[in-house]
Amino acid sequence: MASEKPKLEFLEEEYRKINKLPRLTKAVENLDKIIELLSAAREQVASASESHTAITITKLQNPVKTAFEAVNDGLKGAAAAHKKMGRALDKSFPLKPLPTDHDAMADHVSLINRAITMHLLREGQFSVASTFINEVQSTLKREDSADLDEPMEEDDDEDEGMDADEAASVTSSDNYDLSSFHSRELQESFAEMYNILQELKARNLMPAITWARNNSVELEARGSNLEFELSRLQFVWLFKGPSVNGLPDDENNGQRGALQYARSNFARFQTRHLNEINRLACSMAFAPNIAASPYKQIFAIDTAFSDVASSFTREFCSLLGLSAESPLYLAATAGALALPQLMKYTQKTLAKGTEWTTSNEMAFETPLPESMLYHSIFVCPVSKEQTTDANPPMMIPCGHVLAKETLQKLCKGTRFKCPYCPSEGMIKDARQIIL
C-alpha cells in the first residue's frame, strides 16, 4: 500500500488541475444560447417583411459565430481534460497482462448466464433480461444441434448405443434452464421491488409500508422488524413537518399528523416494540427543541432511508428465496479487490519458476470488506489447511483447536498429546466447533 500512495497523490493533484479546465456544461450552455438566437430570429423573419429579414439575418451572424467559437473552445477544453486524465491514469497504472492461464469459470458458463439474468431482473432491466435469455437459449439450441449432427464414435463403454434423445439430455444436463426467468410472476415481483425502491429514494415510505403489512405474517416468522422500522421512520418523517418532508401542510402532517399516525398504526407493534414506542411518544414533549433532547438520535435520519431500503431489499429477496445482494455484483467486486494481489503473486511465482497448482483455492487470503464475509473460517495451525464440513475444527480438553484429520493423525490408539502444550487427552473428549 505504501507504493500506491504516491500514485494516488499524483492522480489527486492531476484531478485538481483538470477540475479547473472547461467542462461540457459550458458548451451546452452556449449551444442553448445559439438555439435561442435562431428561434428568436425565425419568429422575427416569419412576421417581418423581406427587407427586415435581411437585417435580422445580418444581425444574427456575429452572435452565432461568437457562440459557436465558445462551443468549440469548451469542447477542446473538455477533450484536453479527458486526454490529460487518461495519460495520468496510464502513467500511474500501466496495463499488465492478466493471469489467464487457468479460467476457473470456463466450465460454469451456465452459472454466469444465471447470475447475469438475475442481476438484470434485480435492476429492473426486464426487456434486456428477456433478450439475453432468448439469445442464450438460441445459442444452446444451436450447440446442441451441432453436437447431434456430428457422427458418434462407437466405444466399448456403457455410452455405446446412446440415442439422440439421451444425447440431447446429456448435452443440456449441465445447463441451467433460464426459461423460468421468463416467468411473468417473477418479473412482476422484481418490478414491484424496483418501484418501491424508487419510491424510497423519493422519500415516499407508504408503498414499502403497504408491502410489509401485506407480508407481515412471513416477515414475523423470520423475526423481521421491517414493518416497524418503516412505520417508525414514517412517524419521524411526518414529525419533521412540511418544511422538511415537502408533504402538504394539513392535519396529516407535522407533529399533529405524526401523533395521529402513531395512534392509528403503533398499537399492533406493542408486544415487541413497546419501549421504542414509548420513546417516540416521550419525544413529543421535547418538540420545541428536539436537537437538544435525549431523543435527538431518533430524529437523525441522514442515512435512515438508505438503511430501510437495504433492509427492504434484503427481506424482499429473502421471501423470494434469493440473496439480498446481486451475486454478479458481489463476484465482480470481490474479483476486483483480489485481482491486484493475484497479479502480484502470479508475477512473483513466475519469476521464481513456480506456480500455484490448486485451481479451486486461492494461494492467499483475499482482503474483503466485512460486508462480504459470510462464513467464519478456521485454518488448522498444524496442517495449515482450512477446515471443511468433512474436516471440522475440534477443541481438545486443553482449549487448543485442531482440524479433525490432524487430531486423528496425532492419536496413538485413543489418546493424543497436544502439539502446543504438555496436556494429553482422549479423542472422545474432543468437541466439534460449529462456525
Side-chain angles (χ1 to χ4, degrees):
M1 289 298 295
S3 61
E4 298 295 330
K5 189 174 180 180
K7 296 180 181 179
L8 295 177
E9 290 177 350
F10 168 72
L11 286 175
E12 187 177 3
E13 179 63 27
E14 288 297 314
Y15 177 76
R16 282 196 290 267
K17 293 178 182 178
I18 292 169
N19 205 31
K20 298 177 182 178
L21 296 176
R23 300 188 179 186
L24 284 176
T25 51
K26 289 292 184 182
V28 172
E29 291 174 0
N30 288 316
L31 281 174
D32 290 338
K33 184 178 179 181
I34 293 173
I35 293 172
E36 291 176 1
L37 290 171
L38 293 175
S39 298
R42 182 179 62 181
E43 293 176 359
Q44 292 178 11
V45 169
S47 60
S49 61
E50 185 174 346
S51 59
H52 285 85
T53 299
I55 295 174
T56 300
I57 294 176
T58 302
K59 291 181 178 180
L60 186 65
Q61 290 179 355
N62 287 334
V64 170
K65 182 180 179 182
T66 303
F68 268 117
E69 289 175 351
V71 169
N72 289 331
D73 291 340
L75 292 176
K76 289 178 181 178
H82 181 268
K83 291 179 180 178
K84 191 171 183 180
M85 193 64 193
R87 287 194 295 267
L89 288 170
D90 292 339
K91 183 178 179 180
S92 299
F93 302 103
L95 293 177
K96 298 178 182 178
L98 297 177
T100 56
D101 294 338
H102 175 75
D103 187 355
M105 297 301 295
D107 298 329
H108 303 286
V109 176
S110 55
L111 290 176
I112 298 174
N113 291 336
R114 180 184 177 88
I116 293 173
T117 304
M118 287 300 301
H119 182 78
L120 293 172
L121 290 174
R122 285 170 178 268
E123 295 297 314
Q125 302 290 337
F126 305 115
S127 60
V128 180
S130 179
T131 302
F132 178 77
I133 292 170
N134 292 333
E135 290 292 333
V136 169
Q137 292 180 331
S138 298
T139 302
L140 290 175
K141 287 179 181 178
R142 288 195 297 270
E143 292 176 353
D144 290 347
S145 299
D147 292 340
L148 292 174
D149 290 340
E150 293 180 1
M152 298 180 62
E153 297 181 1
E154 295 187 359
D155 292 326
D156 294 332
D157 58 18
E158 56 186 17
D159 290 339
E160 184 175 1
M162 181 183 294
D163 59 24
D165 293 336
E166 290 174 336
S169 65
V170 170
T171 303
S172 58
S173 62
D174 293 333
N175 295 310
Y176 284 99
D177 184 12
L178 297 181
S179 60
S180 60
F181 293 111
H182 266 313
S183 166
R184 180 176 295 275
E185 182 180 357
L186 180 62
Q187 294 195 13
E188 287 178 353
S189 295
F190 277 114
E192 182 183 14
M193 183 184 79
Y194 183 77
N195 291 333
I196 292 175
L197 288 174
Q198 292 298 107
E199 292 295 330
L200 287 175
K201 288 181 180 179
R203 300 293 197 268
N204 182 11
L205 291 159
M206 293 313 299
I209 292 174
T210 301
W211 178 88
R213 190 161 297 165
N214 293 338
N215 295 274
S216 59
V217 176
E218 293 84 352
L219 291 173
E220 288 178 5
R222 285 177 42 82
S224 171
N225 298 325
L226 177 63
E227 185 181 359
F228 177 72
E229 290 176 8
L230 291 167
S231 298
R232 180 177 57 190
L233 182 57
Q234 178 69 4
F235 171 88
V236 175
W237 192 234
L238 292 173
F239 185 92
K240 287 182 174 293
S243 61
V244 175
N245 59 36
L247 298 175
D249 188 4
D250 54 24
E251 67 277 4
N252 296 318
N253 199 0
Q255 297 172 25
R256 182 179 176 184
L259 182 59
Q260 180 179 335
Y261 179 81
R263 287 173 174 170
S264 302
N265 296 276
F266 282 178
R268 58 185 300 172
F269 303 117
Q270 289 184 12
T271 304
R272 295 178 59 187
H273 304 286
L274 184 59
N275 289 336
E276 291 94 329
I277 294 173
N278 287 337
R279 285 174 58 81
L280 291 173
C282 292
S283 67
M284 301 287 289
F286 294 85
N289 191 14
I290 200 72
S293 74
Y295 307 99
K296 61 181 180 180
Q297 290 300 326
I298 298 176
F299 293 85
I301 58 171
D302 295 339
T303 62
F305 282 90
S306 60
D307 291 341
V308 295
S310 300
S311 298
F312 167 77
T313 303
R314 181 173 60 255
E315 298 298 342
F316 193 102
C317 291
S318 67
L319 294 188
L320 293 178
L322 302 171
S323 60
E325 293 284 355
S326 165
L328 183 64
Y329 166 79
L330 291 176
T333 304
L337 293 173
L339 189 58
Q341 286 197 18
L342 180 60
M343 293 177 63
K344 185 180 294 186
Y345 174 82
T346 303
Q347 291 172 356
K348 289 185 176 180
T349 53
L350 289 176
K352 293 180 179 179
T354 59
E355 60 179 336
W356 183 252
T357 57
T358 307
S359 60
N360 294 324
E361 183 179 344
M362 293 287 285
F364 51 85
E365 184 176 352
T366 304
L368 295 178
E370 187 175 349
S371 60
M372 291 187 179
L373 299 178
Y374 303 101
H375 305 286
S376 300
I377 63 171
F378 174 75
V379 177
C380 178
V382 176
S383 65
K384 309 301 181 184
E385 293 179 351
Q386 183 175 319
T387 55
T388 63
D389 291 338
N391 182 28
M394 306 290 292
M395 179 179 286
I396 55 181
C398 62
H400 290 109
V401 181
L402 307 171
K404 184 177 181 180
E405 292 180 358
T406 300
L407 184 59
Q408 291 172 343
K409 292 177 181 178
L410 290 174
C411 281
K412 295 180 179 179
T414 59
R415 300 187 64 84
F416 62 85
K417 180 184 179 300
C418 176
Y420 290 97
C421 69
S423 301
E424 295 186 359
M426 301 184 69
I427 194 167
K428 67 180 180 65
D429 295 327
R431 295 290 179 265
Q432 180 176 337
I433 295 177
I434 306 299
L435 297 179

